Amino acid sequence: MNNLALPFTVFMMEVLHFIGGVGLLSRDVFRETFHGKIYYKLISEQIYQIGMRSLPLIVITAVSIGMVMSLQFGMGLEKFGGKLYVPKLLAVTILREMGPVFTSLMLAARVGAGIASEIGSMVVTQQIDAIRALGTSPIKKIVIPRVLACLITLPILVSIANIVGNLGGLIIGATELNLDPNFYYLKVMTTSNIQDYLSGFAKTFFFAIFIAIPSCYFGLNVKAGTKEVGIATTKAVVVSSILIVVGDFFLSKLFWIVEKMI
């Protein structure tokens, strides 16, 4: 029993330490964002690194998901004569869930790892200490540009993924399911509504925080040399992905309640 209790206690201590550290970092980011100088050049550089360089990955992922889901929905519904419902089902699923979640997971894998390793390397090479010695806040120069870039680029990437995913579904609907492309397009446009889009779009701001803040936190807390940079990178990707998947359920439930109230 004691052998099981010790690892569980250590795990719970790490979780509590992570929650406290992320909370303090979030407080500092929020406070320093609205005070003092804003480094627009650094923000624009991060927008390019996070947004533009992630675009090919997001497009490939989105079109693949749209094609696979269209094929699977079509094969399943064909048995019941329901192929005509594929455009509606696919559009709602991509807009509400698949677009935001898969785009965020891809961004967590690419950007989260990059942020953690880059900041971790800066800590190891004492660049963070040099920034402090020059009288500049590392939060303002290192963390805030990455957080703001994620908040700006992720909603745009998700919007692109929604379009490309539905386009992939249309291609499969026309070539494999023998659905008229005009019919498919009209079904998507008439059955999906602004609530479907906003439900997925609103999640992206939470997912951006789930990616940026933990990744910066693990990068800033590298202490034991270059070996720990790899560990921090792994933790950043895993934790960000878990937060996205778990947070998606609670956000979907919250938005469902709000829609019922409206």
Side-chain angles (χ1 to χ4, degrees), residues 171-189:
I171 293 170
I172 295 299
T175 57
E176 298 290 336
L177 305 179
N178 297 319
L179 295 174
D180 182 66
N182 292 322
F183 165 80
Y184 193 107
Y185 173 77
L186 288 173
K187 268 292 188 182
V188 170
M189 297 303 294

Side-chain angles (χ1 to χ4, degrees), residues 29-80:
V29 168
F30 182 80
R31 183 177 59 195
E32 295 193 27
T33 299
F34 300 101
H35 292 86
K37 182 180 178 182
I38 297 177
Y39 296 93
Y40 292 103
K41 184 178 179 181
L42 294 176
I43 295 172
S44 62
E45 289 175 358
Q46 290 303 315
I47 288 174
Y48 172 76
Q49 293 293 333
I50 293 173
M52 290 299 296
R53 299 192 66 177
S54 299
L55 186 59
L57 174 64
I58 300 305
V59 169
I60 293 170
T61 302
V63 73
S64 300
I65 290 170
M67 294 170 73
V68 169
M69 290 181 64
S70 180
L71 187 63
Q72 292 291 349
F73 281 148
M75 292 170 60
L77 293 172
E78 190 175 23
K79 302 172 185 176
F80 311 101

Side-chain angles (χ1 to χ4, degrees), residues 12 17 20 38 45 51 95 97 99 102 108 122 134 140 153 186 240-241 247:
M12 288 305 299
H17 189 267
I38 297 177
E45 289 175 358
L95 289 175
E97 295 296 332
F102 274 91
M122 293 176 73
L134 293 171
K140 187 169 281 292
T153 57
L186 288 173
S240 297
S241 301

Side-chain angles (χ1 to χ4, degrees), residues 9 39 54 77 116 154 185 209 215 230 238 250 253 260:
T9 303
Y39 296 93
S54 299
L77 293 172
L154 185 55
Y185 173 77
I209 296 296
S215 299
V238 171
F250 292 102
K253 182 71 173 178
K260 285 287 185 181

